[in-house]
Amino acid sequence: MTEPRKLYVKSFGCQMNVYDSRRMADTMAPEGYVETAAAEDADLIILNTCHIRERAAEKVYSELGRVRVMKDAAAAAGRNVVVAVAGCVAQAEGGEIIRRAPVVDLVFGPQSYHRLPELLARTARDGKAVDTEFPADDKFDQLAQPSAAAIRARGVSAFVTVQEGCDKFCTFCVVPYTRGAEVSRPAPKILAEIEHLAVAGVREITLIGQNVNAYHGDGPDGRTWTLPRLLARAAQIDGVGRLRYTTSHPRDMNDDLIAVHRDLPELMPQLHLPVQSGSDRILAAMNRHHTRADYLDIVRRLRQARPDLALTSDFIVGFPGETESDFAETLSLVADVGFSGSFSFKYSRRPGTPGAEMDDQVPEDVKSERLQRLQDVIDRQQETFNRSCVGKRFDVLFEKPGRHKGQIVGRSPYLQPVPVAAPQSLIGKIAPVIITEAVGNSLLGTLVQRPERTPETTPEREPALLCAGA
Ligand code: SF4
């Protein structure tokens, strides 16, 4: 029997990339590849890159320096290692990657990974290859479904891509260029994927997309389905106890979607809703097509629909032209909303985006100082939120053994890790826990002895958490 070959995939960036990396592993499984966590043992190394963060391309090149050392060591031992770069940096840089880093054998974009076996065969036959096309075929149709064992090994929560790409062209963002126009998968295919995951034991599904709430896929009834309809149908699938969706744009946060936060107990009371800035002037310069008042109104309506909803967001500080008074507007929006946590970054120029060409770029030291002030406020809000969870009873989805004997770890509805003393048999199940202490971002608690909630029963609604401004 031939030894299975080993595949190492390093995923950078967002959940979309984590999902894509898993699907790459699924695509290579029928070709005799098994995943390894040790890059130095791998026969195929894939770096699945992200272009959102600062100096994304430089980080990839420096990682490739480490990969080159591994490839040389393997060659000295008589073993050939194939190196591939995938994802958004691959899409943006194309063949330039091979010119700058000759260790790379294959470059392919986010729309090509279903062709991985064919691309690798081409690389073996003809030498280095680049594929950054936007093919007409639907990659999801070509992808192999993971086995039940592979799904179980990845845990009780899973991502399912429902939509890719973006037509919104925020002036700081490369996604519309690297991932292309908005495309939604047909609802029946998404639902079949969720059923497959649920049968294998997955209990929590996060629907993902660059603009997930712009979802508009073909429904089984021949009509166009939107995200609320898809969520409602997914909630009916046996075994699905929890649903989430990310990442959303405020422009697509309509009444129907707000209503499912009220009506669907399986939809967790946590929403990531990027706002980027609290200043209307900067929001307009970012081409966000919403105002500060629009955002605050959405938050108000969401909390009316689901009083225990916790919100997180993304912020960019130091966008070109941002004055101290614009930044003060961002701080005041944060105070008005009261987030349970957020991501914040300094603006950095992305080649090819309008923001990169704008005059009045903000000096680096000013950006750093503003970022620090914003992060201090966000950290305090997160601590306040976590402390406000103490004394509450949460349904926790248990994921894995804890670090201590007799302990298992799960996630609260707000995604905080919750380690408790409980039997391993609860892994993969949802059980109630009384929260006794907040330590950092984790919540400690005590298991409440009662049967697991089934997806058909309505969970108790907790009273509003102490989200400032709620
Ligand atoms: S909505 Fe804006 S930030 Fe989000 S992916 Fe599209 S262009 Fe980028």
Side-chain angles (χ1 to χ4, degrees):
M1 213 170 96
T2 41
E3 278 277 295
R5 283 172 292 175
K6 291 187 180 152
L7 162 68
Y8 173 81
V9 191
K10 178 159 182 171
S11 204
F12 298 78
C14 66
Q15 293 100 330
M16 299 286 294
N17 267 15
V18 174
Y19 175 88
D20 287 352
S21 295
R22 288 178 178 166
R23 301 315 305 264
M24 287 175 204
D26 297 338
T27 302
M28 294 310 296
E31 306 293 315
Y33 280 84
V34 295
E35 272 192 273
T36 174
E40 58 278 11
D41 293 343
D43 302 291
L44 170 60
I45 295 177
I46 303 175
L47 303 184
N48 190 16
T49 62
C50 168
H51 209 298
I52 292 285
R53 301 285 174 257
E54 209 175 352
R55 297 191 300 277
E58 280 66 29
K59 283 178 188 157
V60 172
Y61 287 115
S62 99
E63 186 71 26
L64 284 170
R66 286 188 280 278
V67 168
R68 184 171 53 78
V69 174
M70 285 180 232
K71 181 163 171 148
D72 289 347
R79 194 162 58 83
N80 182 42
V81 176
V82 176
V83 177
V85 177
C88 290
V89 173
Q91 187 69 37
E93 300 265 308
E96 177 63 18
I97 294 180
I98 291 178
R99 277 188 288 281
R100 275 187 63 182
V103 66
V104 175
D105 301 293
L106 171 65
V107 175
F108 60 100
Q111 304 307 329
S112 307
Y113 62 77
H114 58 297
R115 297 180 180 168
L116 198 41
E118 175 195 327
L119 292 170
L120 287 167
R122 203 200 309 166
T123 306
R125 194 181 57 238
D126 306 332
K128 297 177 188 282
V130 177
D131 186 338
T132 51
E133 299 294 306
F134 286 95
D137 52 337
D138 179 354
K139 74 179 173 203
F140 294 103
D141 279 348
Q142 323 287 325
L143 290 168
Q145 288 279 18
S147 67
I151 293 168
R152 274 194 291 276
R154 290 170 186 166
V156 295
S157 300
F159 299 129
V160 173
T161 293
V162 303
Q163 175 279 336
E164 280 194 297
C166 180
D167 297 337
K168 296 201 165 55
F169 290 92
C170 298
T171 52
F172 54 83
C173 183
V174 289
V175 165
Y177 311 99
T178 58
R179 291 268 180 170
E182 272 179 29
V183 178
S184 295
R185 294 177 66 193
K189 292 184 179 169
I190 296 166
L191 296 168
E193 189 174 331
I194 296 173
E195 272 166 22
H196 183 69
L197 291 165
V199 165
V202 169
R203 304 300 312 276
E204 177 177 87
I205 300 286
T206 303
L207 304 183
I208 56 173
Q210 265 97 23
N211 256 268
V212 71
N213 59 342
Y215 176 79
H216 56 283
D218 295 338
D221 53 4
R223 293 166 183 257
T224 299
W225 279 27
T226 56
L227 188 64
R229 187 138 190 217
L230 186 66
L231 284 163
R233 178 64 191 85
Q236 292 169 1
I237 293 174
D238 271 354
V240 173
R242 287 178 162 193
L243 286 168
R244 304 178 187 276
Y245 63 93
T246 198
T247 292
S248 297
H249 192 291
R251 264 170 74 188
D252 296 310
M253 215 64 224
N254 57 31
D255 287 342
D256 288 347
L257 187 51
I258 289 173
V260 292
H261 283 273
R262 179 194 62 216
D263 299 336
L264 216 57
E266 290 82 0
L267 185 58
M268 290 294 96
Q270 197 258 340
L271 180 66
H272 185 66
L273 190 60
V275 61
Q276 310 297 0
S277 170
S279 155
D280 283 342
R281 216 175 58 79
I282 297 299
L283 288 170
M286 288 175 165
N287 196 33
R288 292 288 291 174
H289 289 280
H290 66 83
T291 63
R292 170 197 178 90
D294 294 334
Y295 188 86
L296 291 174
D297 186 55
I298 292 165
V299 170
R300 182 188 59 75
R301 289 188 287 138
L302 278 164
R303 285 189 169 148
Q304 214 168 39
R306 185 86 205 227
D308 57 347
L309 188 82
L311 283 151
T312 55
S313 194
D314 291 339
F315 294 91
I316 292 174
V317 301
F319 188 76
E322 185 191 76
T323 62
E324 185 55 33
S325 131
D326 293 316
F327 178 64
E329 291 280 294
T330 296
L331 290 178
S332 95
L333 179 134
V334 172
D336 285 352
V337 174
F339 293 97
S340 62
S342 282
F343 300 103
S344 49
F345 307 95
K346 287 189 281 187
Y347 171 73
S348 69
R349 287 170 149 168
R350 294 288 175 277
T353 60
E357 307 303 320
M358 287 180 184
D359 296 332
D360 52 16
Q361 299 281 329
V362 175
E364 216 42 46
D365 58 336
V366 175
K367 287 193 236 176
S368 300
E369 190 271 337
R370 286 181 191 162
L371 182 66
Q372 190 57 56
R373 274 195 282 159
L374 177 60
Q375 287 183 338
D376 287 348
V377 175
I378 289 169
D379 287 350
R380 282 201 299 277
Q381 288 194 341
Q382 187 170 6
E383 279 168 32
T384 305
F385 178 78
N386 287 340
R387 276 201 310 274
S388 74
C389 296
V390 174
K392 295 210 156 57
R393 188 171 82 168
F394 288 157
D395 279 345
V396 172
L397 171 58
F398 288 102
E399 292 179 338
K400 57 185 180 187
R403 271 188 294 169
H404 304 293
K405 197 162 182 276
Q407 190 188 59
I408 57 174
V409 183
R411 296 262 172 191
S412 76
Y414 303 102
L415 288 173
Q416 299 120 315
V418 185
V420 297
Q424 304 264 329
S425 57
L426 274 184
I427 292 174
K429 297 195 167 68
I430 297 169
V433 169
I434 300 282
I435 304 302
T436 53
E437 198 180 338
V439 180
N441 192 39
S442 295
L443 302 177
L444 309 186
T446 313
L447 191 68
V448 178
Q449 301 298 330
R450 82 154 201 210
E452 184 195 2
R453 169 172 76 74
T454 63
E456 289 75 34
T457 60
T458 306
E460 289 175 39
R461 292 276 169 95
E462 296 289 340
L465 288 164
L466 183 64
C467 296

